[in-house]
Amino acid sequence: MALIRFLVNLVVPVAVFIFSAVILWLLLRFALDKIESWTKKHNHPVFSSLYSGIKRSAIVFLLLISAHAGLLAAPWSGGWGYAPPNALLSFAILAVMLTLLNILQSLASFYGQRLNLPGATRAIQVSLVIIVLVLTVLVLLLVWGAETSPLLIFIAGLTVLLLLALRDTGPDYAAALQLAMWKHIGVGESIKLQNGLQGIISKLNWQNIEVLTPEGNLVIIPNSRFIKEVVTRFIDSPEAVKTSVDFLQHQTPVPVNEPDQPEPISVIASILSKRELEIAELVSQGATNKELASKLFISEHTVKVHVKNILQKLELKNRQQIAVLAATQSKKAK
């Protein structure tokens, strides 16, 4: 008798769980197919990010609902119609917060890549995880009637410590975001500052900007200082061409043109394949491997192979040198 009761207590909730999961999965697949079809029709990256976030959390949502249905059906839980209100509400809060986090992280992945800053996507996603986690804990404490004052005091203290730690570098981070969103400058741009410094931007970081001068020197400028400078951005000017030529003479083994020799751009075009030239041009615009793969309809692995071949053929060391070389040659070709 005890064995039969044990089997009933076990089989009933498991059977209800499986039945609920199957039915909900069929409904979910139907809904996701409709959403995916609508997303592809509109073909907007933001819609794709939202769909990706919803899809990742939908499975968890489905399992939570099915598990709750199984618990409601179990004889030892009080039967159908009985469920602790706080537990039910907590499940709903967790599911909603998970969905929100997945959507926000998908959007962060999309916009983080556009910022063109090292680690921008990762930094935004980690920040979102912390914020959503803290909000979830606070809401759950309120639902269960627990004391929230200690947690709020801890968060306030942590915030003060964070502000103190960032009091020196914080302005540089804010300036980096400002520069990234404005998109006034980018890697490979020829610039001249109010103080007379002239060169080509080789790298954009969270804390500073690296500028290569025609003499081959690397000048590092804090972002908070850079945005206060009056910057001349050369576009098709003789001085910009001179800067690019001087820089390339220090950085590449390309000889000075003789009357009977081809132009440097022709030399590079003869070294690289058509696909490699396309990739070099996109690298000069700050595109990541993932963005390159998407634009050229190839895999990320293929992109990495092409980049490696470009570095070997041009005897360069990194992507920054590819970006500078491609950007300056592009300007000279205009």
Side-chain angles (χ1 to χ4, degrees), residues 116 118 184-190 200-205 209-210 281-287 319-328 331:
N116 197 25
H184 291 336
I185 60 170
V187 173
E189 299 280 358
S190 298
I200 298 176
I201 296 176
S202 63
K203 196 171 184 179
L204 298 175
N205 297 312
I209 289 178
E210 297 181 6
E281 178 65 24
L282 290 173
V283 169
S284 72
Q285 298 172 11
R319 290 171 69 97
Q320 284 73 33
Q321 292 185 356
I322 294 177
V324 171
L325 183 61
T328 52
K331 290 176 183 177

Side-chain angles (χ1 to χ4, degrees), residues 217-260:
N217 298 321
L218 180 65
V219 180
I220 300 175
I221 308 171
N223 292 327
S224 57
R225 177 181 171 184
F226 185 86
I227 63 172
K228 297 177 183 178
E229 289 277 352
V230 176
V231 181
T232 301
R233 179 171 172 263
F234 294 125
I235 303 176
D236 298 333
S237 69
E239 193 169 8
V241 174
K242 179 179 181 301
T243 301
S244 300
V245 171
D246 290 342
F247 170 75
L248 289 174
Q249 287 176 346
H250 285 84
Q251 299 297 321
T252 66
V254 178
V256 178
N257 292 335
E258 297 294 338
D260 58 343

Side-chain angles (χ1 to χ4, degrees), residues 283-303:
V283 169
S284 72
Q285 298 172 11
T288 63
N289 286 347
K290 186 175 182 180
E291 291 170 337
L292 286 168
S294 176
K295 290 180 181 179
L296 301 177
F297 302 101
I298 57 178
S299 67
E300 288 189 53
H301 175 73
T302 304
V303 171

Side-chain angles (χ1 to χ4, degrees), residues 31-49:
L32 288 177
D33 288 342
K34 293 294 184 182
I35 296 174
E36 185 178 14
S37 176
W38 183 86
T39 302
K40 289 181 178 179
K41 180 180 179 181
H42 289 77
N43 193 27
H44 195 284
V46 173
F47 295 150
S48 299
S49 299

Side-chain angles (χ1 to χ4, degrees), residues 305-321:
V305 172
H306 282 308
V307 171
K308 183 179 179 181
N309 290 338
I310 293 171
L311 292 173
Q312 291 177 345
K313 289 182 179 180
L314 299 180
E315 298 182 0
L316 302 176
K317 296 180 179 180
N318 50 49
R319 290 171 69 97
Q320 284 73 33
Q321 292 185 356

Side-chain angles (χ1 to χ4, degrees), residues 4 22-23 25 68 94 101 109 159 169 207 217 224 233 269 283:
I4 295 176
V22 171
I23 297 299
W25 171 250
H68 184 68
L94 288 172
L101 178 60
S109 178
T159 302
T169 57
Q207 292 183 267
N217 298 321
S224 57
R233 179 171 172 263
V283 169

